[in-house]
Amino acid sequence: MEFAELIKTPRADNAVLHRPFYAAVEGTLCLTGHHLIFSSRRSDDGEELWLLHSNIDSIEKRFVGSLGTIIIKCKDLRIIQLDIPGMEECLNIASSIEVLSTLDSVTLMYPFFYRPMFEILEDGWSAFLPDRDFELLNSVTDEWRLSSINKEFSVCPSYPPVVIVPKSIDDEALRKVAMFRHGGRFPVLSYYHKKNGMVMMRSSQPLTGTNGRRCKEDEKLINATLRPGKRGYIIDTRSLNVAQQARAKGGGFEQEVYYPQWRRIHKCIERFNILQESLIKLVEACNDQSHNMDRWLSKLEASNWLTHIKEILTAACLAAQCIDREGASVLVHGTEGTDSTLQVTSLAQIILDPGCRTIRGFEALVVREWLQAGHPFQQRCAQSAYSNSKQKWEAPVFLLFLDCVWQILRQFPCSFEFSEQFLIMLFEHAYASQFGTFLGNNENERSKLKLPQKTMSLWSWVNQPEELEKFMNPLFEANSLVIWPSVAPQSLQLWEGVFLRWNRPSKYLDEAQEEVFSIIKYNRLLQAKVNSLRKQLAELETDDRMQENV
Amino acid sequence: QVEQVKLLDRFSTSNKSLTGTLYLTATHLLFIDLSQRETWILHHHIAAVEKLPLTTSGCPLVIQCKNFRIVHFVVPRERDCHDIYNSLLQLSRTAKYEELYAFSYNPKQNESEQVKGWQLIDLAEEYKRMGVPNDYWQLSDANRDYKICETYPRELYVPRTASKPIIVGSSKFRSKGRFPVLSYYHKDKKAAICRCSQPLSGFSARCLEDEHMLQAISKANPSNRYMYVMDTRPKLNAMANRAAGKGYENEDNYSNIRFQFVGIENIHVMRSSLQKLLEVSGTKGLSVNDFLSGLESSGWLRHIKAVLDAAVFLVKAIAVESASVLVHCSDGWDRTSQVCSLGALLLDSYYRTIKGFMVLIEKDWISFGHKFSDRCCQLDGDPKEISPVFTQFLESVWNLTEQFPQAFEYNEAFLLQIHEHVHSCQFGNFLGNCQKEREELKLKEKTYSLWPFLLDEQKKYKNPLYNPDFSPELTLLEPNTVSFNFKFWRNMYHQFDRSMHPRQSVFNLIMNMSEQNKQLEEDIKELEAKIKRRSGQSDAVFVKEHQQSVRPAPTALKTPPCFKKDQPLIPLNDAVRTIEGSNTADNRYSELMEEFSKAEPAIVSLEYGVARMTC
């Protein structure tokens, strides 16, 4: 297919761009296969807006006489308005955008066409391989092994080719366990807590069904993670009710009789369209400036967004508490084990593991616990808050995770190497990107699409020193401790950087932020100077002494 | 003294507690736990004491404080509990001003220091700063002996054209004699903020002198013929007042006025709103939705928004239209004080400095007779007179500091400290209801002024991000009052609930760092001098170069805190204090980090809302 066929009017002069808090700009609008480009007529400011078609969530058109207006709502929650003279031009452009922003085929997406303008220092596609994680693990414990059982993606289509499992369980047993778990997602290692050797595993629900099926290999597998005489905790991210209902559909939960060494805790984390609805309501509330206080608060409440944040954080704190405080191993799962499960396991690691709070560590966490673990990004992030499609599989699961990380970052502003900007950047790229990292729903699909060969990795770009600089948190001071966030409603806040980003002028806040940075920078400068002067002085003193001795 | 008393964690669901000893002193209640940590509670801060039904572990005693601290003790013996309860009831309810802490508080100042302290804020000086008296405005001696209005100060500024008979006539037509006087004069616009109480208009009454008075005010502004009259009450309330012979100005009777209601609720609504807010925020195991719906139904943020919206309206009239504004409510000492002072704060950057904020409070709140004693319940009095009007003012200011982080010289701790002392009755400033009463109490001789003490430790109250040249083209602040900008003030209402706050405070860090930067600059100079002496050559360029890039430094670093035994204002303040003493220019920040993590037992936060494991 040629993109040119879809673009009947590639260019419109005298278009006007409206954005909140900016003066309207007159200029030229161009459509290309992947971008909407608006360039200001005034050459002095040379302002250009490049918008990926895949970033467009929905468009509306309106006409007043022959002046057409297109309102474009983006997945990053921004809303812009374009006035285009000429009804036909406007209609053509609108329909082109509509088609181009909803292309079905992944291989037509921009990442397959994007050619980087920068030199690749380190290929992001090979920066985070499971083998390396295992090497690190193997240096502290020999109870685990790397299994290639899923090399062909035949045992579990949503798992990566290699996974870490208890050494005592052979591949044959794994195959049986996979049959007993939803989607073949048998329990695998998610996190090893070096401090006390406790582990966090994750899986999908067991397929017990109504007749209480059991699987001895499954029991053996998870028992293999227990210390003698110790109990473990199974954190089921569904309420007991939901878990019980799942049995009717062949799913279920671990029964006490067969798992006597495990205590099961049910936590209720919502899924799918409930979350998507929540996002839509929240964004709607944030976008309406005319709400009086009561209406704003009741809309904020009705969105339930912060409730979801609290539930997810609470479950993650609980998992972390079991591991660090109770000294117990933990197994986390919900239904499929690709959404709430990953929210809990990844957040627990942020709480427990200082390594995950560095940029590199956080990238590794996203790769390991989200991309390789098979969170279906392409389905979940197909549309954002303005879509009307209401597909069951669309859900802001990853955005909720990022929001939770932001909440912890707010409470421990010095314990993270990355800044809020880094989280916002990940949110944007998960929904629309020039990089292939978040394409596909699992490693299986990614390898079929040959993403590593045909597209650029987000990490290749981010990890360049000059880019990385922008995402650094200048307050960072390595904190080797476990950090326990408060989950009281008074401590949770609306993530303004995402949800109010386009709704209010941020000049004063940005300037204050810069001031903070400059104080810190100046401090470092002074410290370095003092140290070097001290050294100089000490040298002079020794010289003097030597001279005296002479 | 009672031993083996337990202090319960307010939000703990598993009744976590500290055991220690409770002491009762003449002024404070003191609890010392086994690890020797002290909790001091001033008797005057106690808003309510409640004895709960006896439990197996003892007799629970809940103390609510005016600074929103809530402590929950369990006393092993009921008799002891009963004794404490009775003593606290007596001690926290004072019948006479002379029994308040301020009259016995002795900060070891000599007499001349005391006098100087009271002279620190000079309102005549302040009016001079604004540019009055001038061709249009003059000092009136009409109220020199409090004869016209008891609740106004002696010195009042009025338009030159307002003669004494007009003043007297107008005052007779205004509730409590509070006739229109100058509150703030905007030099550039030649426009004034004036304040008064409601007119006694009833359904049809009018008063020529009052009409003259308003005309004099609008004529005193050469740049605009009309003036605004803002009635800060909801229209319904104002109309209801007409039945009692009071009411609001009839636009037909006054030439060139534009009349406007702005709808701030009365003190009773505010009192119960705060009550609801505290009930919600004090709930154990609160869910997000209960919190948000409680926040909504309390109406608290709606009221804060209404106050700020009114101030924005006033500021627009002055800054955009150069029109003078007359503000009133019913008596003109609650809502009027809020709106006038916030308006001035938005218009004039001076009030955003530490000293200027003190002046603002002295002027619009203390001198114009905001009834601090009644509103803060300093003496045992009518509970219906209590209202968090001043707290709302501070909260509005806090909201502004959040929107304009670089526009204020003072920080949140300053606002919290002022709030603390409005209720502490430790200093004379806020005692009584009006200036006349304060003079009768001889406060200036018998008590001390708060302001010099705050100035002495102003280092604690400085905003490290403050930029005096903030937005140079306009000293005017134009806040965004869209609802989502208003947040729950956690540091006020949960000041003492440490587990709810961020464990690392960027603010404190930056504050220390800018302090440290100054020290480092000194060190560099010293080192360079030493090196120069030794080597004979200098490379002193560095300091000069970089000093220009730093903001003007806060001045004094001396004097230890004068409020001995005060509670930490913002959590982690004590961690900051441990840093102050050290003199090395070496990396203090990493010490601080450790301090943070050590000071916080990891379980505390988790325990709330998380830890219960159920199968």
Side-chain angles (χ1 to χ4, degrees):
Chain A
M1 186 185 64
E2 286 292 319
F3 289 117
E5 289 167 20
L6 300 172
I7 306 172
K8 278 174 237 149
T9 304
R11 176 189 166 105
D13 292 319
N14 300 322
V16 180
L17 169 69
H18 301 271
R19 288 163 299 178
F21 310 111
Y22 287 92
V25 188
E26 213 173 312
T28 304
L29 178 72
C30 292
L31 285 191
T32 72
H34 293 107
H35 285 97
L36 178 155
I37 305 161
F38 183 91
S39 37
S40 160
R41 177 189 289 168
R42 287 178 33 221
S43 52
D44 52 328
D45 55 13
E47 200 186 334
E48 274 192 0
L49 173 81
W50 286 64
L51 196 65
L52 264 180
H53 291 316
S54 58
N55 189 5
I56 294 172
D57 210 24
S58 82
I59 84 165
E60 290 164 27
K61 40 189 187 289
R62 274 187 225 144
F63 290 95
V64 181
S66 68
L67 180 75
T69 292
I70 303 179
I71 294 167
I72 297 177
K73 301 184 174 178
C74 303
K75 290 176 187 164
D76 61 15
L77 308 181
R78 152 175 45 169
I79 298 179
I80 61 170
Q81 181 189 327
L82 288 164
D83 296 343
I84 299 165
M87 189 182 284
E88 198 191 325
E89 286 85 347
C90 183
L91 278 174
N92 282 345
I93 287 172
S95 69
S96 298
I97 295 176
E98 228 157 305
V99 177
L100 289 167
S101 62
T102 52
L103 291 176
D104 281 337
S105 169
V106 183
T107 50
L108 292 177
M109 303 287 259
Y110 186 51
F112 285 91
F113 299 83
Y114 169 74
R115 290 293 159 260
M117 304 289 283
F118 57 88
E119 196 193 342
I120 298 161
L121 300 170
E122 181 198 14
D123 186 1
W125 287 114
S126 50
F128 306 99
L129 295 177
D131 318 42
R132 220 168 298 163
D133 294 335
F134 181 70
E135 263 170 48
L136 284 174
L137 176 69
N138 216 13
S139 65
V140 281
T141 168
D142 60 354
E143 290 165 14
W144 299 85
R145 70 185 182 94
L146 207 54
S147 166
S148 309
I149 186 177
N150 202 37
K151 206 162 52 193
E152 312 291 334
F153 303 105
S154 54
V155 176
C156 171
S158 63
Y159 267 169
V162 286
V163 287
I164 302 173
V165 293
K167 206 173 206 170
S168 56
I169 307 298
D170 59 24
D171 280 1
E172 209 36 55
L174 288 180
R175 241 177 272 277
K176 286 189 186 145
V177 179
M179 303 287 285
F180 181 65
R181 292 274 172 180
H182 189 119
R185 294 176 69 92
F186 52 89
V188 296
L189 181 75
S190 162
Y191 171 66
Y192 180 87
H193 197 42
K194 283 198 201 99
K195 197 168 122 190
N196 58 11
M198 292 301 134
V199 295
M200 180 161 56
M201 315 255 294
R202 56 175 156 75
S203 68
S204 59
Q205 64 176 348
L207 302 173
T208 58
T210 37
N211 52 6
R213 244 179 84 199
R214 66 185 283 197
C215 169
K216 292 228 165 98
E217 287 79 6
D218 188 78
E219 294 155 23
K220 199 176 154 210
L221 194 168
I222 70 165
N223 285 341
T225 67
L226 292 177
R227 293 261 180 284
K230 279 274 205 175
R231 301 235 285 181
Y233 291 92
I234 294 172
I235 295 177
D236 193 324
T237 61
R238 305 162 295 179
S239 68
L240 181 59
N241 229 340
V242 173
Q244 277 166 344
Q245 282 163 12
R247 289 195 296 196
K249 292 185 203 154
F253 52 85
E254 295 82 357
Q255 277 161 312
E256 286 84 358
V257 251
Y258 304 136
Y259 300 86
Q261 288 160 283
W262 294 82
R263 284 182 75 176
R264 208 178 58 246
I265 306 170
H266 288 275
K267 284 276 150 190
C268 179
I269 299 179
E270 294 293 350
R271 326 185 315 130
F272 298 135
N273 50 329
I274 293 180
L275 300 181
Q276 188 74 1
E277 279 300 312
S278 171
L279 175 67
I280 290 170
K281 282 187 190 158
L282 175 69
V283 170
E284 213 176 80
C286 292
N287 284 354
D288 192 337
Q289 311 252 333
S290 68
H291 286 329
N292 66 28
M293 187 60 74
D294 289 0
R295 204 161 160 70
W296 156 248
L297 288 172
S298 78
K299 287 231 159 190
L300 184 61
E301 180 200 341
S303 80
N304 275 324
W305 185 264
L306 288 170
T307 300
H308 300 315
I309 297 287
K310 181 172 153 81
E311 278 163 3
I312 296 165
L313 271 177
T314 305
C317 289
L318 179 67
Q321 190 189 23
C322 292
I323 294 170
D324 188 68
R325 298 272 136 184
E326 304 285 318
S329 285
V330 172
L331 170 68
V332 184
H333 70 73
T335 306
E336 294 90 352
T338 54
D339 295 279
S340 54
T341 305
L342 305 182
Q343 288 172 328
V344 172
T345 56
S346 52
L347 285 168
Q349 292 179 55
I350 283 172
I351 293 166
L352 293 170
D353 182 5
C356 292
R357 298 173 220 142
T358 64
I359 288 199
R360 190 80 189 183
F362 191 72
E363 290 173 358
L365 182 77
V366 170
V367 172
R368 194 173 67 235
E369 290 296 302
W370 289 88
L371 291 161
Q372 291 171 353
H375 174 66
F377 274 99
Q378 197 169 312
Q379 289 184 347
R380 298 289 180 262
C381 302
Q383 302 262 250
S384 128
Y386 304 120
S387 86
N388 308 313
S389 73
K390 306 249 166 82
Q391 297 286 1
K392 184 184 186 267
W393 56 73
E394 289 159 5
V397 176
F398 188 62
L399 176 58
L400 276 163
F401 159 70
L402 293 176
D403 196 334
C404 290
V405 176
W406 178 80
Q407 303 283 350
I408 307 177
L409 172 66
R410 282 282 301 197
Q411 296 187 26
F412 296 89
C414 310
S415 300
F416 289 80
E417 192 188 13
F418 50 87
S419 66
E420 177 181 3
Q421 292 313 313
F422 189 64
L423 299 174
I424 295 174
M425 182 275 293
L426 288 176
F427 157 60
E428 289 172 342
H429 282 277
Y431 279 84
S433 175
Q434 65 268 46
F435 304 106
T437 299
F438 291 106
L439 292 183
N441 289 308
N442 48 51
E443 291 298 278
N444 187 8
E445 288 186 24
R446 280 180 205 110
S447 79
K448 281 191 187 132
L449 289 167
K450 298 204 168 55
L451 290 179
Q453 293 83 39
K454 294 188 169 169
T455 71
M456 181 60 49
S457 162
L458 171 66
W459 317 121
S460 305
W461 170 70
V462 169
N463 286 337
Q464 304 172 89
E466 67 272 23
E467 291 301 325
L468 220 45
E469 182 71 21
K470 296 176 198 156
F471 301 119
M472 292 288 207
N473 173 11
L475 299 164
F476 176 61
E477 195 84 358
N479 172 1
S480 61
L481 296 159
V482 176
I483 54 177
W484 300 107
S486 160
V487 295
Q490 292 96 324
S491 307
L492 301 179
Q493 278 180 309
L494 178 69
W495 189 4
E496 297 174 4
V498 165
F499 297 109
L500 300 181
R501 183 178 178 190
W502 314 102
N503 297 333
R504 55 167 193 192
S506 60
K507 179 171 171 264
Y508 300 127
L509 301 179
D510 294 345
E511 282 174 5
Q513 193 66 34
E514 264 167 44
E515 180 65 20
V516 168
F517 292 173
S518 81
I519 290 176
I520 296 166
K521 258 191 211 147
Y522 185 47
N523 183 269
R524 302 221 167 116
L525 207 66
L526 288 175
Q527 300 238 5
K529 184 68 185 172
V530 166
N531 287 340
S532 87
L533 285 175
R534 286 233 169 95
K535 224 164 123 193
Q536 205 181 332
L537 187 65
E539 273 164 20
L540 284 172
E541 277 168 354
T542 31
D543 284 354
D544 287 358
R545 231 169 285 137
M546 270 159 51
Q547 276 172 358
E548 274 166 29
N549 290 347
V550 172
Chain B
Q1 175 183 339
V2 184
E3 281 176 27
Q4 288 297 315
V5 173
K6 284 196 184 117
L7 174 62
L8 294 189
D9 185 317
R10 181 179 169 199
F11 289 103
S12 162
T13 40
S14 57
N15 287 340
K16 207 162 58 90
S17 66
L18 293 167
T19 306
T21 309
L22 199 61
Y23 301 87
L24 215 54
T25 75
T27 54
H28 288 83
L29 177 73
L30 168 63
F31 177 80
I32 303 180
D33 67 22
L34 293 176
S35 52
Q36 296 303 312
R37 259 189 311 192
E38 300 174 4
T39 306
W40 290 80
I41 295 168
L42 188 65
H43 295 323
H44 295 315
H45 268 149
I46 296 175
V49 194
E50 200 187 344
K51 233 171 50 168
L52 299 182
L54 198 66
T55 66
T56 46
S57 51
C59 191
L61 190 69
V62 180
I63 301 173
Q64 279 183 46
C65 301
K66 292 171 184 171
N67 55 8
F68 309 117
R69 180 201 279 273
I70 293 180
V71 281
H72 192 146
F73 291 115
V74 176
V75 185
R77 284 184 16 202
E78 198 186 359
R79 244 191 86 101
D80 292 337
C81 183
H82 193 73
D83 288 348
I84 300 172
Y85 175 77
N86 282 337
S87 323
L88 285 180
L89 271 191
Q90 270 178 8
L91 289 164
S92 65
R93 283 183 194 165
T94 316
K96 284 197 331 221
Y97 281 118
E98 284 79 1
E99 290 163 10
L100 290 173
Y101 186 28
F103 289 89
S104 58
Y105 175 65
N106 185 357
K108 301 193 181 67
Q109 271 192 345
N110 62 37
E111 217 166 286
S112 80
E113 282 173 319
Q114 184 180 16
V115 172
K116 248 173 77 190
W118 280 110
Q119 286 165 345
L120 185 73
I121 306 293
D122 179 357
L123 289 185
E125 203 53 47
E126 167 59 10
Y127 284 99
K128 222 182 272 168
R129 189 193 66 86
M130 291 180 207
V132 287
N134 58 23
D135 294 348
Y136 303 101
W137 295 88
Q138 67 178 2
L139 179 64
S140 158
D141 59 2
N143 200 40
R144 206 169 40 193
D145 304 314
Y146 297 116
K147 275 198 183 127
I148 294 182
C149 175
E150 290 201 337
T151 57
Y152 267 172
R154 290 176 192 272
E155 278 84 34
L156 291 169
Y157 292 81
V158 295
R160 277 195 191 275
T161 51
S163 62
K164 187 129 186 215
I166 290 181
I167 292 175
V168 173
S170 170
S171 79
K172 286 193 177 133
F173 188 62
R174 293 277 167 180
S175 185
K176 310 270 188 331
R178 295 171 68 92
F179 62 99
V181 295
L182 183 76
S183 160
Y184 176 75
Y185 183 72
H186 197 287
K187 242 188 287 184
D188 299 340
K189 304 276 179 191
K190 298 198 166 32
I193 302 178
C194 296
R195 55 184 294 168
C196 61
S197 61
Q198 64 183 340
L200 304 175
S201 55
F203 289 99
S204 59
R206 55 190 288 188
C207 165
L208 283 179
E209 289 91 342
D210 194 60
E211 289 160 25
H212 275 298
M213 186 74 198
L214 263 65
Q215 207 162 15
I217 292 174
S218 66
K219 278 195 177 145
N221 179 352
S223 40
N224 204 323
R225 274 177 51 252
Y226 60 86
M227 68 181 285
Y228 283 93
V229 175
M230 279 173 78
D231 189 326
T232 56
R233 299 168 294 182
K235 188 171 181 184
L236 262 179
N237 299 19
M239 286 179 36
N241 262 301
R242 291 204 295 193
K246 300 164 189 172
Y248 53 93
E249 290 82 356
N250 181 343
E251 262 179 298
D252 300 338
N253 296 341
Y254 295 83
S255 53
N256 295 327
I257 70 162
R258 296 189 179 176
F259 186 84
Q260 178 74 34
F261 288 110
V262 290
I264 303 173
E265 299 287 351
N266 66 26
I267 56 166
H268 311 294
V269 175
M270 300 308 187
R271 180 179 58 246
S272 68
S273 170
L274 179 62
Q275 194 56 44
K276 279 184 208 149
L277 180 79
L278 295 177
E279 266 165 38
V280 172
S281 67
T283 311
K284 274 187 190 181
L286 184 63
S287 78
V288 172
N289 281 355
D290 287 347
F291 175 63
L292 290 174
S293 67
L295 203 56
E296 180 197 338
S297 69
S298 77
W300 185 253
L301 291 180
R302 171 160 46 91
H303 300 316
I304 300 289
K305 176 170 154 57
V307 171
L308 212 50
D309 273 331
V312 168
F313 179 89
L314 180 155
V315 164
K316 275 193 183 140
I318 291 188
V320 179
E321 301 179 44
S322 305
S324 291
V325 184
L326 175 65
V327 183
H328 71 73
C329 46
S330 296
D331 290 321
W333 50 45
D334 293 310
R335 290 167 271 200
T336 302
S337 296
Q338 288 178 331
V339 174
C340 288
S341 54
L342 280 171
L345 183 89
L346 292 173
L347 286 167
D348 192 334
S349 59
Y350 175 65
Y351 300 125
R352 294 171 228 142
T353 63
I354 289 180
K355 177 93 184 283
F357 194 62
M358 297 172 177
V359 169
L360 186 67
I361 292 173
E362 278 286 343
K363 176 168 70 73
D364 273 313
W365 292 88
I366 295 173
S367 90
F368 278 117
H370 172 67
K371 303 203 289 175
F372 277 105
S373 177
D374 290 357
R375 297 290 177 259
C376 304
C377 193
Q378 292 170 351
L379 299 183
D380 196 17
D382 182 0
K384 287 212 175 76
E385 282 286 315
I386 303 172
S387 189
V389 175
F390 188 71
T391 308
Q392 289 183 319
F393 163 68
L394 293 177
E395 184 160 338
S396 306
V397 176
W398 172 75
N399 266 297
L400 294 173
T401 64
E402 288 281 291
Q403 269 193 49
F404 304 99
Q406 296 192 264
F408 292 81
E409 190 191 10
Y410 40 89
N411 60 26
E412 191 180 25
F414 186 58
L415 302 176
L416 293 175
Q417 183 70 287
I418 290 173
H419 185 261
E420 184 89 1
H421 284 292
V422 163
H423 292 97
S424 74
C425 303
Q426 187 176 355
F427 296 92
N429 307 61
F430 302 104
L431 299 192
N433 284 320
C434 59
Q435 294 296 55
K436 182 167 179 259
E437 206 175 353
R438 288 184 193 107
E439 285 174 21
E440 285 161 8
L441 288 169
K442 299 202 168 64
L443 290 180
K444 292 196 177 178
E445 294 150 47
K446 294 184 176 164
T447 70
Y448 296 85
S449 166
L450 168 68
W451 309 126
F453 292 91
L454 292 185
L455 269 189
D456 263 357
E457 41 170 32
Q458 59 173 306
K459 193 180 68 152
K460 271 171 38 186
Y461 308 125
K462 290 236 181 200
N463 170 10
L465 303 180
Y466 175 55
N467 178 1
D469 305 323
F470 172 78
S471 62
E473 73 276 19
L474 63 170
T475 58
L476 174 72
L477 293 188
E478 293 175 274
N480 181 338
T481 59
V482 176
S483 302
F484 56 57
N485 288 296
F486 293 86
K487 277 169 258 167
F488 173 73
W489 194 4
R490 190 179 52 212
N491 284 349
M492 172 66 97
Y493 303 104
H494 291 293
Q495 200 186 147
F496 300 95
D497 305 314
R498 292 184 57 157
S499 67
M500 274 187 194
H501 300 283
R503 297 317 167 81
Q504 296 165 326
S505 153
V506 176
F507 192 81
N508 284 338
L509 226 150
I510 295 300
M511 205 149 84
N512 288 336
M513 215 172 246
S514 30
E515 282 298 318
Q516 192 194 27
N517 283 354
K518 265 170 275 149
Q519 181 61 48
L520 285 169
E521 279 169 359
E522 291 300 310
D523 288 358
I524 288 177
K525 268 191 216 153
E526 205 176 295
L527 283 167
E528 276 171 342
K530 275 188 196 162
I531 290 172
K532 198 176 165 189
R533 246 177 283 137
R534 286 198 179 263
S535 64
Q537 59 177 352
S538 150
D539 55 350
V541 209
F542 182 87
V543 168
K544 252 188 244 156
E545 241 172 46
H546 286 278
Q547 256 173 352
Q548 282 152 359
S549 70
V550 231
R551 267 111 257 114
T555 42
L557 305 184
K558 34 159 196 183
T559 36
C562 70
F563 309 104
K564 46 161 197 178
K565 278 145 201 176
D566 252 352
Q567 304 307 326
L569 288 170
I570 299 188
L572 309 181
N573 243 14
D574 37 3
V576 175
R577 220 168 278 145
T578 60
I579 298 306
E580 278 176 9
S582 93
N583 233 342
T584 45
D586 296 320
N587 196 352
R588 295 173 187 179
Y589 172 49
S590 62
E591 279 174 35
L592 192 63
M593 279 290 314
E594 273 182 31
E595 197 62 45
F596 282 154
S597 12
K598 273 183 205 151
E600 290 299 333
I603 329 170
V604 180
S605 63
L606 230 200
E607 208 245 313
Y608 170 65
V610 183
R612 273 199 307 175
M613 296 186 202
T614 42
C615 265

